[in-house]
C-alpha cells in the first residue's frame, strides 16, 4: 500500500523549498474582487486545510493554484515553478495552453461534485489521462488503475459507470483518477460537501490514508474534525483575505480573531 | 380506534378488485376513425385515377431505381459534408480565437439566410461565373504585372467548371454547405449542454483542449446532437428532390415525374414518390434509434436501470467485471 504513494519530489530537486508558495494573489470577477492579496506557503508533505464561510474565496484560491482561474496580481509557485506565466527578459509572458496543461499534470484536483466522466466506466475514468496525457501503455495503466481503485476500496467496481455509484464511491473514484497522474500535490475542493452524511467518512478515510503516505494536500473543507486530526496547518479565510492561520489544533481551540471565533462557533 | 396487539403478524389484505374507470369516449373515437379509414381504403381501391398496377410497374423500373440510388448518394454525401463541416464550424464558434468565431458566424449567417432552392439553382449556374476553376497563387496575373511579366500564371491544376460544377457535384455542394450551417448550430447546442465541470476535470488532469473535446465533451454531446441530426437527415432526404433544379436527372423525384409526364399518368407517380420517401424515411428512423441507443451509454433512464439491475445481480453473484463492459 505504501509503495503506491504518488511520487514525492526528492530533496535535491529544485522544489526543495515549499511545494506551494503564493504571494499577494489577487483575483477579480469583473468588478467583484474575490481574492485581496493571499499569502500562503505549503511545505512538501504538508496537509493544509482552508476554512472559511462560503464566498470567502477559498475555492477560487484553490482553483488559481492549478490555473483554472487566472490571477490578476501576485504570483503562485508550485514546486518552484511559477504557475501560468513565464518570466523572460524581465517581462511576464502568458503560457501557451499546452504548457499550462503540462503544469497541471503534476497537480491533482478533486471537485465538490466529483465531475467523473459519465460515459466512461470507472476503470476508463482512471486510465484516460495516464494513457492520453502521460502516454502510458494501456495495459500498465489499467493495472495501476486497478491497484489505485483497490486502494480506495472500489476494486469490485471497475466496470461500473459513475451513474451506478453512490456519491461517496464516485468521490473515491475521483481521488483515484487524480492519483493516477502521480501528482506531487493534491487539491481538494470541498470533497465531502455534496455527500450524504453517512458517506462522508469513507471519503475522509481515503484522504487520511493519503496524508499518512506523505502527500502534499490543500483541502478546502468544512470538516473541522478532519482539519484537527489530519491537518498540519489551517488557514482561515474571510472576505478574500487570510484572517488567521497556524496549527489547526491551536487555532480551533483558541481562535484569536473574532471572525474565526464566530465561524467556529457556528460550525462546531 | 382499535389496535390488535395480540396478532403480531397481520394477514395480508386481499388485492383490490375495483371496477376500472370506463372510457366510452375512446370507443367512440375508434368508431369514427374506423369509418374514416374505411372511406380512405374505399377511395384507394375504387378510384381509377390511382392506376395501381401501372404505378407498381413503373416505380421499380431501372431508371427509377437509378434515381433512388442517386438520391441516397446525394443524401449520404451532403450529410457527410454537413456534419463534418458543421462540427468544425461549431468548434470554431466556441473557440477563444475571435477570427475563427467571426468566420463561423458569417458562414452560418449566409447559408441559413439563403433558401436551399435558391442555393441549388445558384450552384448549378456557377459555371456562368467561371469557365475554368483553377488552384494556385491568388492574383497571379496582377502580381506578374507588378513585376513586369505579361500573362504570368502560377496555377497547379484546374478543371472545366461546366464539367464538374453541374449536376451531382453542384447539388451535393449546395445541400451539404447549407446543411453545415444548421448542423453547426445543433452541434454547438450539444457541446454547450455538457457540464462545465467535465471540461474542468479534464483540464485539471492536464488534457489539452483538443483532447478534451475529442475524448470528453464531444462523446457526451452526441446524446444531444443525434436526435436533431436524425431530423436533419430526414429533411435532407426530402430536400434531395430540390436538385432537380440544378438540374440533376439521377434523382428519385425527377425520374418519377419524368415517367408521369411522359405517360400522362401524373398522379400515380406522385403516389409512387410518396411511397418511396415513406420507405426510405422508415429505414432512416431505424438507424437513428440504434445510434441514440449507442450514445446513451452511461446515461438514459431505461439503460441505466438495466445496467443497475445487472450490477445488483453481479453484486450478489460476485461477477462485477461484466457490468456494462461495452
Amino acid at each position: 500500500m505504501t509503495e503506491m504513494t504518488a511520487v514525492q519530489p526528492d530533496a535535491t530537486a529544485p522544489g526543495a523549498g515549499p511545494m506551494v508558495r503564493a504571494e499577494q494573489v489577487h483575483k477579480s470577477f469583473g468588478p467583484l474582487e474575490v481574492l485581496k492579496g493571499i499569502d500562503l506557503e505549503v511545505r512538501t508533505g504538508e496537509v493544509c486545510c482552508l476554512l472559511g464561510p462560503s464566498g470567502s474565496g477559498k475555492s477560487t484560491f484553490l482553483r488559481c493554484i492549478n490555473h483554472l482561474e487566472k490571477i490578476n496580481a501576485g504570483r503562485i509557485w508550485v514546486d518552484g515553478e511559477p504557475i501560468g506565466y513565464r518570466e523572460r527578459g524581465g517581462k511576464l509572458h502568458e503560457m501557451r495552453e499546452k504548457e499550462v496543461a503540462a503544469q497541471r499534470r503534476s497537480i491533482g484536483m478533486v471537485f465538490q461534485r466529483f465531475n467523473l466522466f459519465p460515459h466512461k466506466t470507472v476503470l476508463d475514468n482512471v486510465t484516460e489521462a495516464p494513457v492520453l496525457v502521460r502516454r502510458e501503455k494501456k495495459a500498465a495503466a489499467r493495472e495501476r488503475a486497478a491497484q489505485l481503485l483497490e486502494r480506495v476500496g472500489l476494486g469490485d467496481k471497475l466496470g461500473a459507470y459513475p451513474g451506478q455509484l453512490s456519491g461517496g464511491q464516485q468521490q473515491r473514484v475521483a481521488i483515484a483518477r487524480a492519483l493516477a497522474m502521480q501528482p506531487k500535490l493534491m487539491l481538494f475542493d470541498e470533497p465531502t460537501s455534496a455527500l450524504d452524511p453517512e458517506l462522508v467518512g469513507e471519503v475522509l478515510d481515503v484522504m487520511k490514508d493519503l496524508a499518512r503516505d506523505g502527500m502534499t494536500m490543500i483541502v478546502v473543507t468544512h470538516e473541522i474534525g478532519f482539519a484537527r486530526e489530519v491537518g498540519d496547518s489551517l488557514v482561515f479565510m474571510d472576505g478574500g483575505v487570510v484572517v488567521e492561520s497556524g496549527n489547526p489544533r491551536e487555532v480551533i481551540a483558541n481562535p484569536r480573531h473574532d471572525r474565526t471565533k464566530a465561524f467556529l462557533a457556528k460550525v462546531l | 380506534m382499535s389496535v390488535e396487539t395480540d396478532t403480531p403478524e397481520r394477514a395480508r389484505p386481499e388485492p383490490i378488485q375495483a371496477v376500472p374507470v370506463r372510457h366510452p369516449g375512446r370507443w367512440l373515437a375508434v368508431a369514427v376513425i374506423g369509418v374514416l379509414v374505411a372511406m380512405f381504403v374505399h377511395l384507394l381501391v375504387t378510384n381509377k385515377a390511382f392506376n395501381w398496377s401501372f404505378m407498381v410497374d413503373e416505380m421499380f423500373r431501372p431508371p427509377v431505381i437509378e434515381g433512388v440510388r442517386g438520391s441516397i448518394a446525394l443524401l449520404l454525401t451532403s450529410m457527410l459534408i454537413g456534419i463534418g463541416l458543421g462540427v468544425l464550424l461549431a468548434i470554431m464558434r466556441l473557440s477563444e480565437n475571435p477570427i475563427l468565431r467571426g468566420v463561423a458566424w458569417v458562414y452560418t449567417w449566409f447559408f441559413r439566410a439563403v433558401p436551399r432552392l435558391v442555393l441549388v439553382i445558384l450552384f448549378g449556374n456557377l459555371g456562368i461565373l467561371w469557365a475554368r476553376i483553377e488552384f494556385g497563387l491568388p492574383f497571379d496575373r496582377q502580381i506578374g504585372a507588378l513585376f513586369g511579366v505579361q500573362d504570368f500564371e502560377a496555377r497547379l491544376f484546374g478543371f472545366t467548371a461546366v464539367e464538374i460544377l453541374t449536376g451531382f457535384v453542384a447539388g451535393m455542394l449546395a445541400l451539404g454547405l447549407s446543411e453545415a450551417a444548421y448542423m453547426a448550430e445543433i452541434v454547438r447546442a450539444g457541446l454547450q449542454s455538457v457540464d462545465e465541470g467535465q471540461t474542468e476535470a479534464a483540464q485539471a488532469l492536464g488534457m489539452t483542449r483538443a483532447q478534451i473535446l475529442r475524448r470528453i465533451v464531444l462523446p457526451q454531446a452526441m446524446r444531444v446532437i443525434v436526435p436533431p441530426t436524425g431530423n436533419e437527415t430526414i429533411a435532407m432526404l426530402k430536400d434531395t428532390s430540390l436538385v432537380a433544379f440544378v438540374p440533376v436527372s439521377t434523382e428519385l423525384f425527377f425520374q418519377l415525374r419524368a415517367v408521369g409526364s411522359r405517360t400522362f399518368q401524373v398522379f400515380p407517380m406522385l403516389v409512387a414518390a410518396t411511397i418511396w420517401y415513406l420507405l426510405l424515411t422508415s429505414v432512416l428512423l431505424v438507424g437513428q434509434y440504434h445510434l441514440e441507443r449507442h450514445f446513451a451509454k452511461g446515461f438514459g433512464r431505461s439503460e441505466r436501470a438495466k445496467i443497475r439491475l445487472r450490477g445488483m445481480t453481479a453484486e450478489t453473484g460476485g461477477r462485477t467485471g461484466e457490468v456494462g463492459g461495452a
Side-chain angles (χ1 to χ4, degrees), chain B:
Chain B
M1 233 174 83
S2 69
V3 183
E4 292 167 273
T5 44
D6 51 335
T7 52
E9 248 181 70
R10 296 201 296 168
R12 187 191 158 91
E14 276 193 13
I16 292 174
Q17 304 248 342
V19 179
V21 177
R22 303 292 182 202
H23 298 284
R26 289 184 193 173
W27 290 106
L28 191 71
V30 166
V32 172
I33 292 168
V35 171
L36 287 175
V37 168
M39 283 166 71
F40 183 62
V41 171
H42 179 77
L43 169 80
L44 290 184
V45 173
T46 56
N47 197 317
K48 289 283 178 285
F50 278 105
N51 208 348
W52 290 106
S53 60
F54 172 80
M55 187 202 87
V56 173
D57 265 0
E58 291 292 330
M59 77 182 275
F60 296 106
R61 289 271 166 111
V64 176
I65 297 294
E66 201 57 28
V68 171
R69 270 210 208 105
S71 284
I72 291 175
L74 205 52
L75 169 73
L76 292 180
T77 50
S78 58
M79 277 315 283
L80 272 179
I81 294 174
I83 293 171
L85 195 57
V87 171
L88 194 70
L89 283 166
I91 293 168
M92 285 165 72
R93 265 308 278 284
L94 297 174
S95 133
E96 281 182 7
N97 182 336
I99 299 160
L100 293 182
R101 271 206 310 265
V103 170
W105 187 86
V106 169
Y107 181 97
T108 315
W109 167 75
F110 177 81
F111 278 98
R112 281 206 304 181
V114 184
R116 267 195 192 159
L117 181 59
V118 176
L119 267 181
V120 162
I121 300 172
L122 186 76
F123 270 69
N125 290 293
L126 275 187
I128 295 169
L129 216 50
W130 305 290
R132 275 179 66 77
I133 293 178
E134 292 173 322
F135 294 88
L137 184 69
F139 294 111
D140 49 356
R141 278 168 186 279
Q142 287 85 339
I143 291 170
L146 214 63
F147 293 99
V149 186
Q150 281 295 312
D151 287 340
F152 172 69
E153 285 193 357
R155 288 163 199 194
L156 297 174
F157 66 98
F159 48 80
T160 312
V162 196
E163 277 168 17
I164 301 291
L165 251 184
T166 49
F168 189 85
V169 174
M172 176 185 83
L173 283 178
L175 293 178
L177 295 181
S178 133
E179 183 57 39
Y182 294 94
M183 281 308 300
E185 292 296 288
I186 291 171
V187 174
R188 186 166 69 103
L191 293 178
Q192 284 176 330
S193 77
V194 178
D195 180 25
E196 189 70 25
Q198 292 291 308
T199 306
E200 280 183 1
Q203 276 179 331
L205 287 167
M207 291 164 80
T208 60
R209 209 172 292 136
Q211 288 172 329
I212 295 170
L213 190 73
R214 191 162 46 85
R215 304 282 306 180
I216 307 298
V217 176
L218 205 50
Q220 293 184 59
M222 288 307 274
R223 212 164 45 91
V224 176
I225 293 172
V226 167
T229 304
N231 250 350
E232 289 293 312
T233 311
I234 289 167
M236 179 58 84
L237 171 68
K238 296 179 288 185
D239 282 352
T240 54
S241 58
L242 293 178
V243 299
F245 292 93
V246 168
V248 177
S249 53
T250 52
E251 183 270 315
L252 176 60
F253 189 55
F254 183 94
Q255 289 297 337
L256 288 171
R257 245 184 2 162
V259 176
S261 46
R262 181 156 42 79
T263 55
F264 301 106
Q265 295 283 346
V266 176
F267 196 75
M269 287 301 105
L270 290 176
V271 175
T274 307
I275 292 172
W276 262 119
Y277 284 118
L278 273 174
L279 270 173
L280 294 175
T281 305
S282 307
V283 172
L284 290 178
L285 283 176
V286 174
Q288 185 184 353
Y289 169 76
H290 285 286
L291 264 182
E292 277 180 31
R293 234 182 32 167
H294 173 75
F295 285 110
K297 226 171 18 174
F299 291 95
R301 218 172 287 150
S302 57
E303 186 63 18
R304 189 182 288 179
K306 244 183 274 168
I307 293 174
R308 188 167 288 162
L309 206 64
R310 249 186 291 160
M312 261 148 65
T313 48
E315 236 163 52
T316 48
R319 301 196 320 156
T320 28
E322 293 185 2
V323 182

Side-chain angles (χ1 to χ4, degrees), chain A residues 149-158 165 169-170 172-173:
Chain A
L149 286 165
E150 188 69 48
R151 180 181 174 188
V152 300
L154 292 169
D156 58 339
K157 297 284 184 199
L158 305 188
L165 302 181
Q169 290 172 328
Q170 289 192 48
R172 287 185 280 153
V173 174

